[in-house]
Amino acid sequence: MLSRIAESLFWIGRYVERADGTARIVDVLRLQLLEDAGTDETVAAGTVLTVIMGMPTSEGVGVADVGAQLVFDRTNFSSISGSWLAARENARRVRETLSTELWESINTTWHRWNSMGRHSVTERHLSWVRERAALVSGIADSTMSHDDAWEFLVLGRSLERADMTARLVANGGLPRGGP
């Protein structure tokens, strides 16, 4: 297998998992702010952006800033939009290596994500991302031969999952409100 193909497969796995992980983190923040009135929005949003995701921010950030940077920013490959774009571009480069179903699921996901609208982060956006990431992973597992190509895809997925888990564990998760 050529190294460029292996690299693209690795990054497809990482970016699909990153979209899923980022959606889960943003959803936890959204739910925490809805359910716990004592949570300081600027502290929680700042923690998600700077401490967990490692992104520079200014003071006074809120959920809208988290949505802009972690959900809808196509130029940021840590965001959901950026992850779907990067996964699609990597899939396009190795289209002949992927199953037709896997290519179609990644391509369709990218196009549907772009047609969903970008007004604010909603539960609909985040649950859809989680469902599509699970669909892409399931299609990869069921339609690709479990050879080197599939192994690189799974390696990327596993490494991204470990990275996101390590970030959350190292930083103690999201801050809690109140005493």
Side-chain angles (χ1 to χ4, degrees), residues 5-176:
I5 293 173
E7 180 181 17
S8 288
L9 290 164
F10 172 83
W11 283 105
I12 291 168
R14 274 203 86 159
Y15 286 127
V16 170
E17 186 67 25
R18 186 172 297 167
D20 180 49
T22 302
R24 290 176 187 280
I25 288 170
V26 172
D27 200 29
V28 167
L29 172 64
R30 185 186 66 79
L31 289 172
Q32 181 181 5
L33 293 172
L34 286 174
E35 294 175 358
D36 187 358
T39 301
D40 184 347
E41 179 180 340
T42 58
V43 171
T47 300
V48 167
L49 288 172
T50 58
V51 179
I52 295 173
M53 299 303 288
M55 300 174 67
T57 62
S58 58
E59 288 190 31
V61 296
V63 174
D65 300 303
V66 170
Q69 292 181 36
L70 289 181
V71 178
F72 301 118
D73 184 2
R74 288 185 191 176
T75 63
N76 175 8
F77 292 145
S78 290
S79 77
I80 294 169
S81 287
S83 293
W84 285 128
L85 172 63
R88 182 184 182 273
E89 289 305 307
N90 278 289
R92 193 177 52 77
R93 285 187 209 116
V94 295
R95 192 169 174 182
E96 69 281 353
T97 306
L98 303 176
S99 65
T100 302
E101 297 88 350
L102 181 55
W103 161 251
E104 287 176 355
S105 69
I106 293 170
N107 192 44
T108 299
T109 298
W110 166 244
H111 287 292
R112 287 192 183 155
W113 173 254
N114 285 323
S115 67
M116 286 182 78
R118 292 177 165 56
H119 298 17
S120 64
V121 177
T122 65
E123 190 275 332
R124 178 178 157 253
H125 285 95
L126 301 172
S127 65
W128 187 85
V129 169
R130 292 191 312 268
E131 289 171 11
R132 292 305 291 197
L135 177 71
V136 169
S137 295
I139 287 174
D141 291 347
S142 65
T143 63
M144 289 181 71
S145 298
H146 289 207
D147 57 4
D148 289 343
W150 179 79
E151 294 281 343
F152 277 103
L153 194 76
V154 171
L155 177 63
R157 183 187 328 158
S158 300
L159 190 61
E160 184 64 29
R161 188 172 295 167
D163 180 51
M164 282 287 204
T165 302
R167 288 178 192 212
L168 289 169
V169 170
N171 297 303
L174 295 174
R176 297 278 176 213

